[in-house]
C-alpha cells in the first residue's frame, strides 16, 4: 500500500511555499496599513488643521544629542533598525530658527511609539522640551500613541519634580522662558515622570535589547500572522526558520 500523499512529507514540501505566501501577505498588509494611515491623515487635514501629514514612522526618538547621541541613543537606534523598525532620529536638519518646525511636529504625530530619553542635561535643550510637549499632547489626546520614557541615569522622581541634578539643568533654562511656556514645560516633565518607563543605570546592552523587544511586541499586535492549526508539521518547521 502506498503511503498517504497528504502526510508529513507533503507538509514539509509545501511549507516553504506557504511561508513565502504568508510573508508576502504580511508585507502587503503593512503597506496597506501605511496607505490607510496616509489616507486618514489626508482626510483629517480637510477638517482639522492639526491632523498629521507627511512620512509615517513606527518610533520617534527624543533625546539631547550631547548626552546620548554617540552612545546609548545610537545603539538603540541601530538595534531598532536592525529589527526592521522604522525610526525617526532627529539629525538637526529639521531644526531651523528658535521654534520647533512643522516637519518635526508631524514626525512626532505620525509615529506610533514615542521614546523620550531623559538625561541629566535634557532640559538644557529647548528643542527637547518643545518636542516633549508635543509628545505628551499626543498621549493626552488619546490618538493611539504609546509613550515609553527612558530615564537615562536620572531618577524619575527628579523628572517629576524638576529636582536634583535634573532640576538644576531645568533651572538654567527658566530665565529665558515666559511664564506660559515654562508652565507647559513643567507640566510635560511632571507627566512623563509619572509614566512607567525604563531606568538606564546598569547594563545598557541588556536595556537596549529589552526596549527593542518591548517595541517589537507592541508593534506586532498590528501585524499578527494566523497559522492554520490543521497543517501537519508546519508549526515545527516555522520554529526552525
Amino acid at each position: 500500500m502506498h503511503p498517504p500523499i497528504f502526510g508529513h512529507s507533503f507538509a514539509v514540501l509545501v511549507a516553504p511555499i506557504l511561508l513565502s505566501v504568508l510573508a508576502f501577505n504580511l508585507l502587503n498588509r503593512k503597506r496597506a496599513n501605511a496607505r490607510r494611515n496616509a489616507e486618514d491623515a489626508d482626510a483629517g487635514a480637510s477638517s482639522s488643521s492639526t491632523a498629521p501629514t507627511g512620512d509615517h514612522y513606527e518610533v520617534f526618538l527624543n533625546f539631547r544629542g550631547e548626552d546620548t547621541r554617540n552612545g546609548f541613543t545610537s545603539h538603540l537606534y541601530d538595534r531598532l533598525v536592525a529589527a526592521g523598525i522604522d525610526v525617526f532620529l532627529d539629525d538637526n536638519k529639521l531644526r531651523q530658527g528658535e521654534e520647533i518646525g512643522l516637519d518635526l511636529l508631524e514626525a512626532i504625530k505620525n509615529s506610533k511609539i514615542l521614546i523620550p530619553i531623559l538625561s541629566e542635561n535634557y532640559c538644557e535643550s529647548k528643542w527637547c522640551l518643545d518636542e516633549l510637549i508635543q509628545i505628551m499632547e499626543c498621549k493626552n489626546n488619546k490618538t493611539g500613541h504609546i509613550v515609553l520614557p527612558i530615564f537615562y541615569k536620572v531618577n524619575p522622581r527628579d523628572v517629576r519634580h524638576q529636582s536634583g541634578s535634573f532640576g538644576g539643568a531645568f533651572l538654567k533654562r527658566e530665565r529665558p522662558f515666559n511664564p506660559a511656556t515654562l508652565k507647559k514645560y513643567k507640566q510635560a516633565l511632571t507627566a512623563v515622570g509619572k509614566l512607567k518607563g525604563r531606568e538606564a543605570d546598569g547594563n545598557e546592552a541588556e536595556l537596549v535589547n529589552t526596549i527593542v523587544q518591548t517595541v517589537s511586541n507592541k508593534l506586532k499586535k498590528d501585524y499578527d500572522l494566523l497559522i492554520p492549526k490543521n497543517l501537519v508539521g508546519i508549526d515545527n518547521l516555522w520554529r526552525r526558520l
Side-chain angles (χ1 to χ4, degrees), residues 114-211:
L114 310 172
I115 303 181
I117 303 172
L118 299 130
S119 53
E120 182 173 342
N121 299 308
Y122 178 93
C123 291
E124 290 187 8
S125 169
K126 180 179 183 297
W127 286 92
C128 285
L129 293 171
D130 287 341
E131 289 176 5
L132 183 63
I133 288 176
Q134 183 62 54
I135 287 171
M136 297 313 297
E137 284 182 356
C138 287
K139 178 174 177 58
N140 294 336
N141 290 337
K142 297 181 179 180
T143 51
H145 292 84
I146 298 172
V147 179
L148 299 176
I150 309 299
F151 301 99
Y152 187 77
K153 299 182 179 179
V154 297
N155 192 307
R157 181 181 62 254
D158 289 337
V159 175
R160 286 196 300 273
H161 301 292
Q162 299 89 61
S163 59
S165 58
F166 185 88
F170 184 72
L171 289 174
K172 293 179 182 179
R173 300 294 301 172
E174 278 194 354
R175 293 181 181 178
F177 300 139
N178 63 54
T181 301
L182 187 62
K183 182 179 180 180
K184 289 183 179 180
Y185 288 156
K186 288 184 176 182
Q187 289 175 339
L189 289 169
T190 299
V192 76
K194 291 180 180 179
L195 296 180
K196 182 179 180 181
R198 299 286 182 177
E199 295 187 43
D201 196 13
N203 189 317
E204 293 188 8
E206 290 183 2
L207 177 60
V208 167
N209 288 335
T210 299
I211 296 170

Side-chain angles (χ1 to χ4, degrees), residues 25-63:
N25 288 338
L26 172 63
L27 180 60
N28 281 343
R29 194 183 309 176
K30 187 171 182 179
R31 287 175 175 172
N33 185 69
R35 284 196 299 271
R36 284 195 299 270
N37 288 339
E39 290 170 357
D40 291 343
D42 291 339
S46 61
S47 60
S48 172
S49 60
T50 60
T53 57
D55 293 334
H56 286 69
Y57 303 92
E58 290 168 324
V59 172
F60 181 96
L61 296 179
N62 160 252
F63 62 98

